[in-house]
Amino acid sequence: MRDLLRSVWDEPRPPNPPRRVWRDWALVAVLVPLAVLEGVVRPDLPWRAISVAVTVGLVPTLLWRRTRPLLMITIVFCTTNLAPLFAGGDSPETYTMAYLLCVVYALSRWGSGRETVIGVAIMLFSVYLAIAFHRIVLADAVGAFTVMCTATTLGATFRYRANARMRQLDQVKLLEREQLARDLHDTVAHHVSAMAIRAQAGLATSASRPNAATDALRVIEAEAARALDEMRAMVRVLRRDQPADLAPGRGIADLGELASTGRSGPSVEVTMAGDLGDLPPSVGAAVYRLAQESVTNARRHARHATRVEVRVTADDTAVRLRVHDDGDTSLIRPAASPGYGLIGMIERADLLGGTCAAGPDPGGGWSVNATLPRTGSAT
């Protein structure tokens, strides 16, 4: 209970409360003549001049009820408790004063936790004074207390909904950042890695094969062009003033581009089996990105590897990917934490309800095994 009370007391104000807007000024413009009109036409209004003056005088509290809710509550209840001293003990009871419920609502909606607690205490003390000085009977006090509690609860409810909405938006932003990180790693980083590998291969063979540097530069130029194209596509989606590129992305049909003869680095063989023709685009893109990242990792990290096998099979329920290299795993040092590439691969498979695992193969080499549901959604 103590922790609950402390959390309520330490609750900060909601960020960016609305300032005075035109609706507030319009409400003030309507309430002032309405209070005057009630004072003129209502025959049973006690202490007419004082009641109208108090009603009109408290109208401006609506303008600051969001930015200074506790101060406005203090002004309202101090004024309504002092007014009977000038009205022969009678409280101002105009119907127009119902607008003060907006101030009560704003206290729990826009005030901090301690402001809300202090404001509620002020309201309860005001009701107590009204009972103690016999300005209202107990039944009326219960009714007034119920109305104030209703307005306070309504403000707290809308506050909770707004906070929940903000948390939901923050979660969406986090997921978008993770998706962007995966896309950057799987697209641009892949091409940059390919350029680095080609440059290293060109430097290593330049002495024995003078034309190797020229061949490496051609490959680097092609990879750089692809990286720029994919970067422009991503920037076009992120910019609000540019239409998104609706062209289909990479998929199963593009797996053949990963194959290579191994002139620099291990050769890559791609085989596909099963019904792969009607896969959802999300599954096809995921399979391609997983295979692409696995091949890139094999080329960069597999020691003495001469061959990388990429095999995709499909049945009625799932699509399975296996990427295996024949590198020497005894030379691999265990990392303190998995790299971003493996994390992104696991996340990408998990988003589709699948699995992805990587590690040394019992028969030698390193394998990546991924299984994705054919429907492309988690069950």
Side-chain angles (χ1 to χ4, degrees):
M1 179 60 70
R2 180 180 298 178
D3 294 338
L4 176 61
L5 295 177
R6 183 178 295 276
S7 65
V8 172
W9 181 261
D10 295 335
E11 176 74 15
R13 282 187 177 185
N16 303 321
R19 298 287 178 174
R20 295 179 294 278
V21 296
W22 68 268
R23 290 187 296 272
D24 295 333
W25 292 104
L27 185 60
V28 170
V30 171
L31 288 174
V32 170
L34 189 62
V36 174
L37 179 63
E38 181 182 0
V40 172
V41 302
R42 183 178 170 186
D44 61 336
L45 185 63
W47 296 90
R48 189 181 309 273
I50 295 177
S51 296
V52 172
V54 170
T55 304
V56 173
L58 292 178
V59 168
T61 58
L62 296 174
L63 300 176
W64 287 275
R65 68 186 188 276
R66 302 187 191 93
T67 55
R68 299 179 180 178
L70 179 58
L71 178 60
M72 296 304 105
I73 281 289
T74 304
I75 292 174
V76 165
F77 283 92
C78 286
T79 302
T80 54
N81 276 281
L82 292 175
L85 299 178
F86 304 94
D90 294 327
S91 299
E93 298 178 351
T94 61
Y95 299 139
T96 311
M97 290 185 71
Y99 70 81
L100 293 179
L101 290 176
C102 295
V103 182
V104 177
Y105 165 87
L107 175 67
S108 57
R109 174 64 181 89
W110 299 107
S112 65
R114 64 188 63 192
E115 287 176 331
T116 302
V117 172
I118 296 173
V120 170
I122 292 174
M123 291 188 289
L124 292 176
F125 184 69
S126 176
V127 174
Y128 168 76
L129 289 178
I131 297 174
F133 287 95
H134 305 289
R135 292 199 296 267
I136 59 175
V137 297
L138 182 59
D140 292 339
V142 172
F145 177 76
T146 301
V147 171
M148 288 189 298
C149 284
T150 301
T152 303
T153 304
L154 188 63
T157 300
F158 277 91
R159 180 189 187 127
Y160 173 79
R161 290 186 59 185
N163 290 340
R165 177 62 174 169
M166 290 180 60
R167 289 192 295 269
Q168 183 181 9
L169 292 176
D170 291 340
Q171 183 66 21
V172 170
K173 291 178 182 179
L174 179 61
L175 293 176
E176 289 178 346
R177 290 178 62 180
E178 292 177 352
Q179 179 65 36
L180 180 59
R182 282 193 296 270
D183 290 342
L184 281 172
H185 188 280
D186 293 345
T187 57
V188 180
H190 166 76
H191 295 300
V192 173
S193 298
M195 286 187 284
I197 294 171
R198 293 294 184 177
Q200 293 170 0
L203 290 173
T205 58
S206 60
S208 59
R209 295 176 54 201
N211 294 331
T214 303
D215 295 337
L217 287 175
R218 291 194 182 97
V219 174
I220 292 173
E221 179 185 17
E223 294 290 344
R226 296 191 187 98
L228 287 174
D229 290 340
E230 296 193 3
M231 179 64 79
R232 290 193 185 101
M234 295 181 67
V235 172
R236 189 180 301 113
V237 173
L238 294 175
R239 288 180 63 89
R240 296 183 179 180
D241 57 346
Q242 294 291 334
D245 186 4
L246 300 180
R250 296 286 189 172
I252 292 291
D254 302 303
L255 282 173
E257 298 180 5
L258 300 177
S260 64
T261 57
R263 289 193 300 173
S264 59
S267 62
V268 179
E269 298 179 3
V270 179
T271 59
M272 293 180 285
D275 184 11
L276 299 169
D278 57 346
L279 292 178
S282 58
V283 176
V287 171
Y288 176 84
R289 294 305 182 190
L290 292 174
Q292 180 189 51
E293 177 64 19
S294 301
V295 171
T296 300
N297 289 340
R299 285 175 169 171
R300 294 184 63 182
H301 303 299
R303 301 300 182 182
H304 308 309
T306 61
R307 183 181 180 187
V308 179
E309 298 177 352
V310 179
R311 180 171 177 80
V312 180
T313 59
D315 54 29
D316 295 336
T317 60
V319 179
R320 295 174 176 82
L321 168 69
R322 174 179 169 82
V323 181
H324 173 75
D325 65 71
D326 59 355
D328 187 355
T329 56
S330 63
L331 300 176
I332 299 178
R333 296 179 180 178
S337 61
Y340 291 114
L342 181 56
I343 292 175
M345 292 165 65
I346 295 173
E347 289 178 347
R348 189 179 290 277
D350 184 65
L351 287 174
L352 296 176
T355 60
C356 180
D361 194 278
W366 186 274
S367 294
V368 176
N369 295 281
T371 302
L372 304 178
R374 190 178 185 89
T375 58
S377 60
T379 56

